Coordinates of all heavy atoms in Angstrom, one line a residue:
M1 N -56.1 -40.6 -104.9 CA -55.6 -40.7 -106.2 C -54.7 -39.5 -106.5 O -54.9 -38.4 -106.1 CB -56.9 -40.6 -107.2 CG -56.5 -40.6 -108.6 SD -57.9 -40.7 -109.8 CE -58.5 -42.3 -109.4
E2 N -53.6 -39.8 -107.2 CA -52.6 -38.8 -107.6 C -53.2 -37.9 -108.6 O -53.9 -38.3 -109.6 CB -51.4 -39.4 -108.1 CG -50.5 -40.2 -107.0 CD -49.8 -39.2 -106.1 OE1 -49.3 -38.2 -106.6 OE2 -49.7 -39.6 -104.9
S3 N -52.9 -36.6 -108.5 CA -53.4 -35.6 -109.5 C -52.2 -34.7 -109.9 O -51.3 -34.5 -109.0 CB -54.6 -34.8 -109.1 OG -54.3 -34.2 -107.9
N4 N -52.2 -34.2 -111.1 CA -51.2 -33.2 -111.5 C -51.5 -31.8 -111.1 O -50.7 -31.0 -111.0 CB -51.0 -33.3 -113.1 CG -50.6 -34.7 -113.5 OD1 -51.5 -35.5 -113.8 ND2 -49.3 -35.0 -113.5
K5 N -52.8 -31.5 -111.0 CA -53.3 -30.2 -110.6 C -54.6 -30.3 -109.8 O -55.4 -31.1 -110.1 CB -53.5 -29.4 -111.9 CG -54.1 -28.0 -111.7 CD -53.0 -27.0 -111.3 CE -53.6 -25.6 -111.2 NZ -52.7 -24.6 -110.7
V6 N -54.7 -29.4 -108.8 CA -55.9 -29.4 -108.0 C -56.6 -28.0 -108.3 O -55.9 -27.0 -108.1 CB -55.6 -29.6 -106.5 CG1 -56.9 -29.4 -105.7 CG2 -55.0 -30.9 -106.2
L7 N -57.9 -28.0 -108.6 CA -58.6 -26.8 -108.8 C -59.6 -26.7 -107.7 O -60.5 -27.5 -107.5 CB -59.4 -26.9 -110.2 CG -60.4 -25.8 -110.4 CD1 -59.8 -24.4 -110.4 CD2 -61.2 -26.1 -111.7
N8 N -59.5 -25.6 -106.9 CA -60.4 -25.3 -105.9 C -61.5 -24.4 -106.4 O -61.3 -23.2 -106.6 CB -59.7 -24.6 -104.7 CG -60.7 -24.4 -103.5 OD1 -61.9 -24.6 -103.6 ND2 -60.1 -23.9 -102.4
A9 N -62.7 -25.0 -106.7 CA -63.9 -24.3 -107.2 C -64.9 -24.2 -106.1 O -66.1 -23.9 -106.4 CB -64.4 -24.9 -108.4
E10 N -64.5 -24.3 -104.8 CA -65.5 -24.3 -103.7 C -66.0 -22.9 -103.6 O -65.3 -21.9 -103.8 CB -64.8 -24.7 -102.4 CG -64.4 -26.2 -102.4 CD -63.8 -26.6 -101.1 OE1 -64.3 -26.2 -100.1 OE2 -62.8 -27.4 -101.2
G11 N -67.4 -22.8 -103.4 CA -68.0 -21.5 -103.2 C -68.4 -20.8 -104.6 O -69.1 -19.8 -104.6
L12 N -68.0 -21.4 -105.7 CA -68.4 -20.9 -107.0 C -69.7 -21.5 -107.5 O -69.9 -22.7 -107.3 CB -67.3 -21.2 -108.0 CG -66.0 -20.6 -107.7 CD1 -65.0 -21.0 -108.8 CD2 -66.0 -19.1 -107.7
A13 N -70.6 -20.7 -108.0 CA -71.9 -21.1 -108.5 C -71.8 -21.5 -110.0 O -70.9 -21.1 -110.7 CB -72.9 -20.1 -108.4
C14 N -72.7 -22.4 -110.4 CA -72.8 -22.8 -111.8 C -72.9 -21.6 -112.7 O -73.6 -20.7 -112.4 CB -74.0 -23.7 -111.9 SG -74.2 -24.4 -113.6
P15 N -72.2 -21.5 -113.8 CA -71.3 -22.6 -114.4 C -69.9 -22.4 -114.1 O -69.0 -23.1 -114.8 CB -71.6 -22.3 -115.9 CG -71.7 -20.8 -116.0 CD -72.4 -20.4 -114.7
M16 N -69.5 -21.6 -113.2 CA -68.1 -21.3 -113.0 C -67.2 -22.6 -112.7 O -66.0 -22.6 -113.2 CB -67.9 -20.3 -111.9 CG -68.4 -18.9 -112.3 SD -67.8 -18.4 -113.9 CE -66.1 -18.2 -113.6
P17 N -67.6 -23.6 -111.9 CA -66.7 -24.8 -111.8 C -66.3 -25.4 -113.1 O -65.2 -25.7 -113.3 CB -67.5 -25.7 -110.9 CG -68.4 -24.8 -110.1 CD -68.8 -23.7 -111.0
V18 N -67.3 -25.5 -114.0 CA -67.0 -26.0 -115.4 C -66.1 -25.1 -116.2 O -65.1 -25.5 -116.8 CB -68.3 -26.4 -116.1 CG1 -68.0 -26.8 -117.6 CG2 -69.0 -27.5 -115.4
V19 N -66.4 -23.8 -116.1 CA -65.6 -22.8 -116.8 C -64.1 -22.9 -116.4 O -63.2 -22.9 -117.2 CB -66.1 -21.4 -116.7 CG1 -65.2 -20.3 -117.2 CG2 -67.5 -21.3 -117.3
K20 N -63.9 -22.9 -115.1 CA -62.5 -22.9 -114.5 C -61.9 -24.3 -114.8 O -60.7 -24.3 -115.1 CB -62.6 -22.7 -113.0 CG -63.1 -21.3 -112.7 CD -62.2 -20.7 -111.6 CE -62.6 -19.3 -111.3 NZ -61.7 -18.3 -111.6
A21 N -62.6 -25.4 -114.8 CA -62.1 -26.7 -115.1 C -61.6 -26.7 -116.5 O -60.5 -27.2 -116.8 CB -63.1 -27.8 -114.9
K22 N -62.4 -26.2 -117.5 CA -61.9 -26.1 -118.9 C -60.6 -25.3 -119.0 O -59.7 -25.8 -119.7 CB -63.0 -25.5 -119.7 CG -62.6 -25.5 -121.2 CD -63.5 -24.8 -122.1 CE -63.1 -24.8 -123.6 NZ -61.7 -24.7 -123.9
K23 N -60.6 -24.2 -118.3 CA -59.3 -23.4 -118.4 C -58.1 -24.1 -117.9 O -57.1 -24.1 -118.5 CB -59.6 -22.1 -117.6 CG -58.4 -21.1 -117.7 CD -58.7 -19.8 -117.0 CE -57.6 -18.9 -117.1 NZ -57.8 -17.6 -116.4
E24 N -58.3 -24.8 -116.7 CA -57.2 -25.5 -116.1 C -56.8 -26.7 -117.0 O -55.6 -27.0 -117.1 CB -57.6 -26.0 -114.7 CG -57.6 -24.9 -113.7 CD -56.3 -24.2 -113.5 OE1 -55.2 -24.8 -113.6 OE2 -56.3 -23.0 -113.1
I25 N -57.7 -27.5 -117.5 CA -57.4 -28.7 -118.2 C -56.7 -28.4 -119.5 O -55.9 -29.1 -120.0 CB -58.6 -29.6 -118.4 CG1 -58.1 -31.1 -118.4 CG2 -59.4 -29.3 -119.6 CD1 -59.2 -32.1 -118.1
D26 N -57.0 -27.2 -120.1 CA -56.3 -26.8 -121.3 C -54.8 -26.6 -121.1 O -54.1 -26.6 -122.1 CB -57.0 -25.5 -121.9 CG -58.3 -25.7 -122.5 OD1 -58.7 -26.8 -122.8 OD2 -59.0 -24.7 -122.7
N27 N -54.4 -26.3 -119.9 CA -53.0 -26.1 -119.6 C -52.3 -27.4 -119.2 O -51.1 -27.3 -119.0 CB -52.9 -25.1 -118.4 CG -53.4 -23.7 -118.8 OD1 -53.1 -23.3 -119.9 ND2 -54.0 -23.0 -117.9
L28 N -53.0 -28.5 -119.2 CA -52.4 -29.8 -118.8 C -52.0 -30.5 -120.1 O -52.5 -30.3 -121.2 CB -53.3 -30.6 -118.0 CG -53.7 -30.0 -116.6 CD1 -54.7 -31.0 -115.9 CD2 -52.5 -29.8 -115.7
N29 N -51.1 -31.5 -119.9 CA -50.7 -32.4 -121.0 C -51.7 -33.6 -121.1 O -52.3 -34.0 -120.1 CB -49.3 -32.9 -120.7 CG -48.3 -31.8 -120.7 OD1 -48.3 -30.9 -121.6 ND2 -47.3 -31.9 -119.8
T30 N -51.8 -34.2 -122.2 CA -52.6 -35.4 -122.4 C -52.2 -36.4 -121.4 O -51.0 -36.7 -121.2 CB -52.4 -35.9 -123.9 OG1 -52.8 -34.9 -124.8 CG2 -53.3 -37.2 -124.1
G31 N -53.2 -37.0 -120.7 CA -52.9 -38.1 -119.7 C -52.8 -37.5 -118.3 O -52.8 -38.3 -117.4
D32 N -52.6 -36.2 -118.2 CA -52.6 -35.6 -116.8 C -53.9 -35.7 -116.2 O -55.0 -35.7 -116.8 CB -52.1 -34.1 -116.9 CG -50.6 -34.0 -117.2 OD1 -49.9 -35.0 -117.2 OD2 -50.2 -32.8 -117.4
I33 N -53.9 -35.6 -114.8 CA -55.2 -35.7 -114.1 C -55.4 -34.4 -113.3 O -54.6 -33.9 -112.6 CB -55.1 -36.9 -113.1 CG1 -55.0 -38.2 -113.9 CG2 -56.3 -36.9 -112.2 CD1 -54.8 -39.4 -113.0
L34 N -56.6 -33.9 -113.5 CA -57.1 -32.6 -112.9 C -58.0 -33.1 -111.8 O -59.0 -33.8 -112.0 CB -57.8 -31.7 -113.9 CG -58.5 -30.5 -113.3 CD1 -57.4 -29.5 -112.6 CD2 -59.3 -29.7 -114.3
E35 N -57.8 -32.6 -110.6 CA -58.6 -32.9 -109.4 C -59.4 -31.6 -109.2 O -58.8 -30.5 -109.1 CB -57.8 -33.2 -108.2 CG -58.6 -33.5 -106.9 CD -57.7 -33.9 -105.8 OE1 -56.6 -34.4 -106.0 OE2 -58.2 -33.8 -104.6
I36 N -60.7 -31.7 -109.1 CA -61.6 -30.5 -108.9 C -62.4 -30.7 -107.6 O -62.9 -31.7 -107.3 CB -62.6 -30.4 -110.0 CG1 -61.9 -30.3 -111.4 CG2 -63.5 -29.2 -109.8 CD1 -62.8 -30.5 -112.6
H37 N -62.4 -29.6 -106.8 CA -63.2 -29.5 -105.5 C -64.2 -28.5 -105.7 O -63.9 -27.3 -106.1 CB -62.3 -29.2 -104.3 CG -61.2 -30.1 -104.1 ND1 -60.3 -29.9 -103.1 CD2 -60.8 -31.3 -104.7 CE1 -59.4 -30.9 -103.0 NE2 -59.7 -31.7 -104.0
A38 N -65.5 -28.8 -105.6 CA -66.6 -27.9 -105.8 C -67.7 -28.1 -104.7 O -67.8 -29.2 -104.2 CB -67.2 -28.1 -107.2
T39 N -68.4 -27.0 -104.4 CA -69.5 -27.1 -103.5 C -70.9 -26.9 -104.1 O -71.9 -27.1 -103.5 CB -69.3 -26.1 -102.3 OG1 -69.0 -24.8 -102.9 CG2 -68.1 -26.5 -101.4
D40 N -70.9 -26.4 -105.3 CA -72.2 -26.2 -106.0 C -72.8 -27.6 -106.4 O -72.1 -28.4 -107.0 CB -71.9 -25.4 -107.3 CG -73.2 -25.1 -108.1 OD1 -74.1 -24.5 -107.5 OD2 -73.3 -25.6 -109.2
K41 N -74.0 -27.8 -105.9 CA -74.7 -29.1 -106.1 C -74.8 -29.4 -107.6 O -74.8 -30.6 -108.0 CB -76.0 -29.1 -105.4 CG -76.0 -28.9 -103.9 CD -75.2 -30.0 -103.3 CE -75.2 -29.7 -101.7 NZ -74.0 -30.3 -101.1
G42 N -74.9 -28.4 -108.5 CA -75.1 -28.6 -109.9 C -73.8 -29.3 -110.5 O -73.9 -29.9 -111.5
A43 N -72.7 -29.1 -109.8 CA -71.4 -29.7 -110.3 C -71.5 -31.2 -110.4 O -70.8 -31.8 -111.2 CB -70.3 -29.3 -109.5
A44 N -72.4 -31.8 -109.6 CA -72.5 -33.3 -109.5 C -72.9 -33.8 -110.9 O -72.5 -35.0 -111.2 CB -73.5 -33.7 -108.4
S45 N -73.7 -33.1 -111.6 CA -74.1 -33.5 -113.0 C -73.4 -32.7 -114.1 O -73.1 -33.3 -115.1 CB -75.6 -33.4 -113.1 OG -76.0 -32.1 -112.9
N46 N -73.1 -31.5 -113.8 CA -72.5 -30.6 -114.9 C -71.0 -31.0 -115.2 O -70.7 -31.1 -116.4 CB -72.5 -29.2 -114.4 CG -73.8 -28.6 -114.3 OD1 -74.8 -29.1 -114.9 ND2 -74.0 -27.5 -113.6
I47 N -70.2 -31.4 -114.2 CA -68.8 -31.7 -114.5 C -68.8 -33.1 -115.2 O -68.1 -33.1 -116.2 CB -68.0 -31.7 -113.2 CG1 -67.8 -30.2 -112.8 CG2 -66.6 -32.4 -113.4 CD1 -67.0 -29.9 -111.6
P48 N -69.5 -34.1 -114.8 CA -69.4 -35.3 -115.6 C -70.0 -35.1 -117.0 O -69.4 -35.7 -118.0 CB -70.3 -36.3 -114.8 CG -70.2 -35.8 -113.4 CD -70.2 -34.3 -113.5
A49 N -71.0 -34.3 -117.2 CA -71.5 -34.1 -118.6 C -70.5 -33.3 -119.4 O -70.3 -33.7 -120.6 CB -72.8 -33.2 -118.5
W50 N -69.8 -32.3 -118.8 CA -68.8 -31.6 -119.6 C -67.6 -32.5 -119.9 O -67.1 -32.5 -121.0 CB -68.3 -30.4 -118.7 CG -67.0 -29.9 -119.3 CD1 -66.8 -29.1 -120.4 CD2 -65.7 -30.1 -118.7 NE1 -65.5 -28.8 -120.5 CE2 -64.8 -29.4 -119.5 CE3 -65.2 -30.8 -117.6 CZ2 -63.4 -29.5 -119.3 CZ3 -63.9 -30.8 -117.4 CH2 -63.0 -30.2 -118.2
T51 N -67.2 -33.4 -119.0 CA -66.1 -34.3 -119.2 C -66.4 -35.2 -120.4 O -65.6 -35.4 -121.3 CB -65.9 -35.2 -117.9 OG1 -65.6 -34.3 -116.8 CG2 -64.7 -36.1 -118.1
K52 N -67.7 -35.7 -120.4 CA -68.0 -36.6 -121.5 C -68.1 -35.9 -122.8 O -67.6 -36.4 -123.8 CB -69.4 -37.3 -121.2 CG -69.8 -38.3 -122.2 CD -71.1 -38.9 -121.7 CE -71.5 -40.0 -122.7 NZ -72.8 -40.7 -122.3
S53 N -68.7 -34.7 -122.9 CA -68.8 -34.0 -124.1 C -67.5 -33.4 -124.6 O -67.4 -33.2 -125.8 CB -69.8 -32.8 -123.9 OG -69.3 -31.8 -123.1
S54 N -66.5 -33.3 -123.7 CA -65.2 -32.7 -124.2 C -64.2 -33.9 -124.5 O -63.1 -33.6 -124.9 CB -64.7 -31.8 -123.1 OG -64.5 -32.5 -121.9
G55 N -64.6 -35.1 -124.3 CA -63.8 -36.2 -124.6 C -62.8 -36.6 -123.5 O -62.0 -37.6 -123.7
H56 N -62.8 -36.0 -122.4 CA -62.0 -36.4 -121.3 C -62.6 -37.5 -120.5 O -63.7 -37.9 -120.7 CB -61.7 -35.2 -120.3 CG -61.2 -34.0 -121.0 ND1 -60.0 -34.0 -121.7 CD2 -61.7 -32.7 -121.2 CE1 -59.8 -32.8 -122.3 NE2 -60.8 -32.0 -122.0
E57 N -61.8 -38.1 -119.6 CA -62.3 -39.3 -118.8 C -62.5 -38.9 -117.3 O -61.5 -38.5 -116.7 CB -61.3 -40.4 -119.0 CG -61.7 -41.7 -118.3 CD -60.7 -42.8 -118.4 OE1 -59.6 -42.6 -119.1 OE2 -60.9 -43.8 -117.8
L58 N -63.7 -39.1 -116.8 CA -64.0 -39.0 -115.4 C -63.5 -40.3 -114.7 O -64.1 -41.3 -114.9 CB -65.5 -38.7 -115.2 CG -65.9 -38.6 -113.7 CD1 -65.2 -37.4 -113.1 CD2 -67.4 -38.5 -113.6
L59 N -62.4 -40.2 -114.0 CA -61.8 -41.4 -113.3 C -62.6 -41.7 -112.0 O -62.7 -42.9 -111.7 CB -60.4 -41.1 -113.0 CG -59.5 -40.9 -114.2 CD1 -58.1 -40.5 -113.8 CD2 -59.5 -42.1 -115.2
Q60 N -62.9 -40.6 -111.3 CA -63.5 -40.9 -110.0 C -64.3 -39.6 -109.5 O -64.0 -38.5 -109.9 CB -62.4 -41.1 -108.9 CG -62.9 -41.6 -107.6 CD -61.8 -42.0 -106.7 OE1 -60.7 -42.4 -107.1 NE2 -62.0 -41.8 -105.4
Q61 N -65.4 -39.9 -108.8 CA -66.2 -38.8 -108.2 C -66.6 -39.2 -106.8 O -67.1 -40.3 -106.5 CB -67.5 -38.6 -109.1 CG -68.4 -37.5 -108.6 CD -69.6 -37.3 -109.5 OE1 -69.5 -37.7 -110.7 NE2 -70.6 -36.7 -109.1
D62 N -66.3 -38.3 -105.8 CA -66.5 -38.5 -104.4 C -67.2 -37.3 -103.8 O -67.1 -36.2 -104.3 CB -65.2 -38.8 -103.6 CG -64.7 -40.1 -103.9 OD1 -65.4 -41.1 -104.2 OD2 -63.4 -40.3 -103.9
N63 N -67.9 -37.6 -102.7 CA -68.4 -36.5 -101.8 C -67.7 -36.6 -100.5 O -67.6 -37.7 -99.9 CB -69.9 -36.7 -101.5 CG -70.8 -36.5 -102.7 OD1 -70.3 -36.5 -103.9 ND2 -72.1 -36.4 -102.5
E64 N -67.2 -35.4 -100.0 CA -66.6 -35.3 -98.7 C -67.3 -34.2 -98.0 O -67.0 -33.0 -98.1 CB -65.1 -35.1 -98.8 CG -64.3 -36.3 -99.2 CD -62.8 -36.1 -99.1 OE1 -62.4 -35.1 -98.5 OE2 -62.1 -36.9 -99.7
G65 N -68.4 -34.5 -97.2 CA -69.2 -33.5 -96.6 C -69.9 -32.7 -97.7 O -70.6 -33.2 -98.5
E66 N -69.7 -31.4 -97.6 CA -70.3 -30.4 -98.6 C -69.5 -30.4 -99.9 O -69.9 -29.8 -100.9 CB -70.3 -29.0 -98.0 CG -71.2 -28.9 -96.7 CD -72.7 -28.9 -97.1 OE1 -73.0 -28.3 -98.1 OE2 -73.4 -29.6 -96.4
T67 N -68.3 -31.0 -99.9 CA -67.4 -30.8 -101.1 C -67.5 -32.0 -102.0 O -67.5 -33.2 -101.6 CB -65.9 -30.7 -100.6 OG1 -65.8 -29.6 -99.7 CG2 -65.0 -30.5 -101.8
L68 N -67.7 -31.7 -103.3 CA -67.7 -32.7 -104.3 C -66.3 -32.7 -104.9 O -65.8 -31.7 -105.2 CB -68.7 -32.3 -105.4 CG -70.2 -32.1 -105.0 CD1 -71.0 -31.5 -106.1 CD2 -70.8 -33.4 -104.5
K69 N -65.8 -33.9 -105.1 CA -64.4 -34.1 -105.7 C -64.5 -34.9 -107.0 O -65.2 -35.9 -107.0 CB -63.5 -34.7 -104.7 CG -63.2 -33.8 -103.5 CD -62.2 -34.4 -102.6 CE -61.9 -33.4 -101.5 NZ -60.7 -33.8 -100.7
F70 N -63.8 -34.4 -108.0 CA -63.7 -35.1 -109.3 C -62.3 -35.3 -109.7 O -61.5 -34.4 -109.5 CB -64.4 -34.3 -110.3 CG -65.8 -33.9 -110.0 CD1 -66.1 -32.7 -109.2 CD2 -66.9 -34.7 -110.4 CE1 -67.4 -32.3 -108.9 CE2 -68.2 -34.3 -110.0 CZ -68.4 -33.1 -109.3
W71 N -62.0 -36.4 -110.3 CA -60.6 -36.6 -110.9 C -60.9 -36.9 -112.4 O -61.5 -37.8 -112.8 CB -60.0 -37.8 -110.3 CG -59.5 -37.5 -108.9 CD1 -58.2 -37.1 -108.5 CD2 -60.2 -37.6 -107.7 NE1 -58.2 -36.9 -107.2 CE2 -59.4 -37.2 -106.6 CE3 -61.6 -37.9 -107.4 CZ2 -59.8 -37.1 -105.3 CZ3 -62.0 -37.8 -106.1 CH2 -61.1 -37.5 -105.0
I72 N -60.3 -36.0 -113.2 CA -60.5 -36.1 -114.7 C -59.2 -36.2 -115.4 O -58.3 -35.5 -115.2 CB -61.2 -34.8 -115.2 CG1 -62.6 -34.7 -114.5 CG2 -61.4 -34.8 -116.7 CD1 -63.2 -33.3 -114.7
K73 N -59.1 -37.2 -116.3 CA -57.9 -37.5 -117.1 C -58.1 -36.8 -118.4 O -59.1 -37.0 -119.1 CB -57.7 -39.0 -117.3 CG -56.5 -39.3 -118.0 CD -56.3 -40.8 -118.0 CE -55.1 -41.3 -118.7 NZ -55.0 -42.7 -118.8
K74 N -57.1 -35.9 -118.7 CA -57.2 -35.2 -120.0 C -57.0 -36.1 -121.2 O -56.1 -36.9 -121.2 CB -56.1 -34.1 -120.0 CG -56.2 -33.2 -121.3 CD -55.3 -32.1 -121.3 CE -55.4 -31.3 -122.6 NZ -54.6 -30.1 -122.6
A75 N -57.8 -36.0 -122.2 CA -57.8 -36.8 -123.4 C -56.7 -36.2 -124.3 O -56.3 -35.1 -124.2 CB -59.1 -36.7 -124.1

């Protein structure tokens, strides 16, 4: 999937992947896609919950080995 920005949050513990994602998505335009790579297992539930509560759209979520990947469309 094409993304406008990739955020590498690998190695960061909760809540830092969400904190960094919020900071990055604030710099994007409406409709842009943020791709997030995280290794913290909590991100599997925290990032989708944050996406929903902030009004953005979780387009896709994948696992590649130890890395969780998320594609979020900015509302």
Side-chain angles (χ1 to χ4, degrees):
M1 177 175 292
E2 290 285 324
S3 57
N4 299 92
K5 176 78 178 175
V6 176
L7 170 62
N8 182 356
E10 293 180 42
L12 298 177
C14 183
M16 291 312 294
V18 171
V19 170
K20 294 224 178 245
K22 181 187 182 320
K23 185 177 178 181
E24 288 297 331
I25 211 159
D26 286 346
N27 294 322
L28 297 177
N29 296 316
T30 300
D32 284 353
I33 297 173
L34 175 63
E35 180 178 339
I36 304 168
H37 300 178
T39 50
D40 180 59
K41 300 299 181 207
S45 59
N46 293 341
I47 289 180
W50 164 75
T51 302
K52 185 176 183 179
S53 70
S54 60
H56 304 300
E57 181 182 356
L58 179 62
L59 300 174
Q60 188 174 334
Q61 179 175 343
D62 286 330
N63 290 15
E64 287 187 12
E66 297 285 319
T67 303
L68 304 169
K69 294 187 175 185
F70 306 87
W71 287 265
I72 300 170
K73 184 176 183 181
K74 183 174 179 176

